[in-house]
Amino acid sequence: MKATVRENGLAKYTWLIIATMSMVVILVSVFFIAFPEITFDISMEYPGSSLTWEVLDESSKVGMRFLIVRPFWDEILFGILGLFCAWGLKKREAFAWKLGVFWGVMMLVAGIAIGLSELFIGEWPTVCMVTIVYSIIGVIALSCLFFVKKDFDEILQNTNDTDVYP
């Protein structure tokens, strides 16, 4: 027997909010994979360096492209995980709420960690916009999931009531 949940208020749209934010993460990552020179120039400009993508020789560009593009593949995986959470929330699967909380915490912690490394390791005067976006995504995801927790508690309760253990 499939557990059901009340479809009212924010519970209806939580999956859509998480799916949209996951797509933002994926699209931002794809953009920066397609244009690594933008990431390089920003990374050099923030701490005050005059080094730009154009002054690098071709062999340096190959190495920098690898160093820049590699982390964005991880972020694409973060986005895919977020889409999986959204799918579970839409289907009202029992695992979805906890996985969504994990995803929200992961996005918030990633944003904070990136921001701290930009400020303290990179010695940037400010954090980049993507760092702020990821932190905001984490806060929004956790807030939405907090508001629908009661609805998913019902699903978990119904699931646990029907479980049969030997």
Side-chain angles (χ1 to χ4, degrees), residues 32 35-56 61 64 68 124:
F32 285 116
F35 302 104
E37 62 275 2
I38 293 172
T39 304
F40 181 81
D41 288 344
I42 290 170
S43 298
M44 295 296 110
E45 179 183 320
Y46 272 110
S49 174
S50 61
L51 188 62
T52 64
W53 186 262
E54 278 72 36
V55 300
L56 295 176
K61 286 181 182 179
M64 289 311 299
I68 292 168
W124 293 10

Side-chain angles (χ1 to χ4, degrees), residues 34-155:
F35 302 104
E37 62 275 2
I38 293 172
T39 304
F40 181 81
D41 288 344
I42 290 170
S43 298
M44 295 296 110
E45 179 183 320
Y46 272 110
S49 174
S50 61
L51 188 62
T52 64
W53 186 262
E54 278 72 36
V55 300
L56 295 176
D57 60 26
E58 285 307 310
S59 60
S60 296
K61 286 181 182 179
V62 171
M64 289 311 299
R65 184 173 284 116
F66 173 76
L67 291 173
I68 292 168
V69 168
R70 174 36 206 104
F72 289 112
W73 285 107
D74 294 341
E75 293 175 14
I76 288 175
L77 292 176
F78 290 169
I80 292 169
L81 179 62
L83 289 175
F84 182 70
C85 292
W87 172 79
L89 290 168
K90 182 173 178 21
K91 297 276 190 183
R92 303 292 185 234
E93 297 289 340
F95 71 86
W97 188 85
K98 288 181 182 177
L99 190 60
V101 169
F102 172 76
W103 183 77
V105 167
M106 184 178 68
M107 291 303 298
L108 181 60
V109 169
I112 291 169
I114 293 168
L116 290 174
S117 69
E118 289 169 348
L119 293 174
F120 295 110
I121 297 171
E123 297 179 3
W124 293 10
T126 184
V127 296
C128 70
M129 188 54 114
V130 173
T131 302
I132 295 168
V133 169
Y134 288 172
S135 298
I136 290 172
I137 285 173
V139 168
I140 291 171
L142 292 172
S143 299
C144 289
L145 290 165
F146 172 76
F147 288 120
V148 299
K149 183 180 184 336
K150 184 177 177 183
D151 297 333
F152 278 90
D153 282 345
E154 291 176 13
I155 290 175

